[in-house]
Amino acid sequence: MERKRFKIQDYNKREAFEDATRFFIVYEGDKELHYFQMINHLYLPPKKASIIHILEKDTVIGSQPKKLIERVKFFIENPPKDLSVTPTEDDKFRFVLDVDDHPKEQFPELNKYCKDLKDANLYISNFCFEVWQYLHLDEAHKIKSNTSAEMKTEVGAKHTESKMKNFPKSYLEKDRIEKAIERAKIADTNKNDFFPVEKSTKVYLLMEELLNYSTLNKEVNNPEIV
């Protein structure tokens, strides 16, 4: 595989062609951004599909579910100047966020907003995105944490114990991704609800969707990032 060094600020420079499928993804933080940017860079052929990131710095400050709604509305009405494609409400919008300490009543509001759009979905991790990261390394039933802060500490320890290299590149081997999806399905004991049970995540559903467009049959060897 041809390798390329890139920076996160280049996130809009590999946009899809007009006939490609575009996924506009809005996140809370940088960890999610780095993970999906790497997926975009390594596995999504730009003529077929591309992830375009809706970032806080370009739109509305704040990570609460209600703020993410405002962020997408602002993005559609005021797309970044370096964005060569014009987003509309008919595009694919995907929300990736944590439970954290957000007001619980805002999650149904965000879920309803997704349903009101033509093609939008909500993917929540409970407690945090690190649950999805952990599932690349081990089974969900082994998680000991009871809060987001504890989960972040636990996944850091598991990362060290597993002798993994830097996140996210060391997590994006084909077998690790597939194993994480398999473990997440088992942990998702309430598949009919958009809100995940504790120590589980709905992010695997987004990954399954993205993999339909991917080149994951190709092996990844030490992908580079700066």
Side-chain angles (χ1 to χ4, degrees):
M1 173 182 288
E2 182 180 354
R3 295 180 293 176
K4 175 185 176 183
R5 295 177 67 84
F6 66 98
K7 297 180 180 179
I8 281 301
Q9 56 262 40
D10 295 329
Y11 74 98
N12 275 331
K13 294 183 179 179
R14 292 187 67 254
E15 292 160 4
F17 289 82
E18 289 186 4
D19 59 345
T21 300
R22 298 187 296 271
F23 291 89
F24 291 89
I25 304 185
V26 56
Y27 320 89
E28 284 184 278
D30 289 342
K31 186 175 289 289
E32 298 92 330
L33 167 63
H34 282 265
Y35 183 90
F36 285 99
Q37 174 63 29
M38 202 63 150
I39 291 287
N40 196 34
H41 174 71
L42 293 173
Y43 295 129
L44 297 183
K47 289 185 179 180
K48 190 172 183 180
S50 181
I51 294 172
I52 298 175
H53 314 282
I54 304 179
L55 302 180
E56 191 176 45
K57 72 179 183 66
D58 293 325
T59 54
V60 174
I61 302 299
S63 61
Q64 293 184 347
K66 185 173 290 188
K67 286 294 183 181
L68 299 189
I69 294 175
E70 295 177 13
R71 190 184 300 181
V72 168
K73 289 180 178 179
F74 184 93
F75 181 83
I76 293 172
E77 295 173 2
N78 306 277
K81 293 181 180 179
D82 59 350
L83 196 66
S84 64
V85 294
T86 302
T88 72
E89 291 186 351
D90 293 335
D91 282 311
K92 294 181 182 292
F93 289 93
R94 303 294 183 259
F95 293 78
V96 179
L97 69 158
D98 306 338
V99 172
D100 283 334
D101 295 322
H102 296 318
K104 296 296 187 290
E105 66 273 10
Q106 290 189 14
F107 287 97
E109 183 179 356
L110 177 54
N111 189 51
K112 180 182 182 301
Y113 177 70
C114 288
K115 291 180 179 179
D116 290 341
L117 292 173
K118 183 175 180 180
D119 190 343
N121 281 303
L122 171 60
Y123 305 100
I124 303 172
S125 290
N126 190 358
F127 314 99
C128 51
F129 188 77
E130 278 77 6
V131 172
W132 172 244
Q133 185 179 346
Y134 185 98
L135 296 180
H136 291 67
L137 307 174
D138 213 336
E139 308 290 339
H141 68 83
K142 295 183 181 180
I143 294 175
K144 300 175 182 178
S145 301
N146 293 301
T147 66
S148 176
E150 290 176 358
M151 186 72 242
K152 291 174 182 179
T153 299
E154 184 174 355
V155 79
K158 177 64 70 172
H159 175 97
T160 300
E161 175 188 322
S162 301
K163 297 182 180 180
M164 295 287 284
K165 296 182 180 179
N166 293 336
F167 177 89
K169 66 180 181 181
S170 57
Y171 287 71
L172 293 179
E173 297 172 357
K174 179 175 182 290
D175 291 345
R176 284 198 183 276
I177 295 176
E178 291 176 345
K179 196 66 178 178
I181 291 173
E182 178 185 326
R183 290 166 174 161
K185 285 182 178 179
I186 294 171
D188 185 12
T189 57
N190 194 0
K191 292 181 172 60
N192 294 325
D193 196 334
F194 75 92
F195 199 88
V197 298
E198 283 191 355
K199 304 179 184 181
S200 73
T201 176
K202 299 288 185 176
V203 170
Y204 75 93
L205 295 169
L206 175 57
M207 286 301 300
E208 286 185 318
E209 182 178 22
L210 293 175
L211 295 189
N212 288 329
Y213 298 85
S214 78
T215 56
L216 252 186
N217 58 319
K218 296 181 180 179
E219 184 178 359
V220 178
N221 291 314
N222 297 323
E224 295 183 59
I225 185 170
V226 292

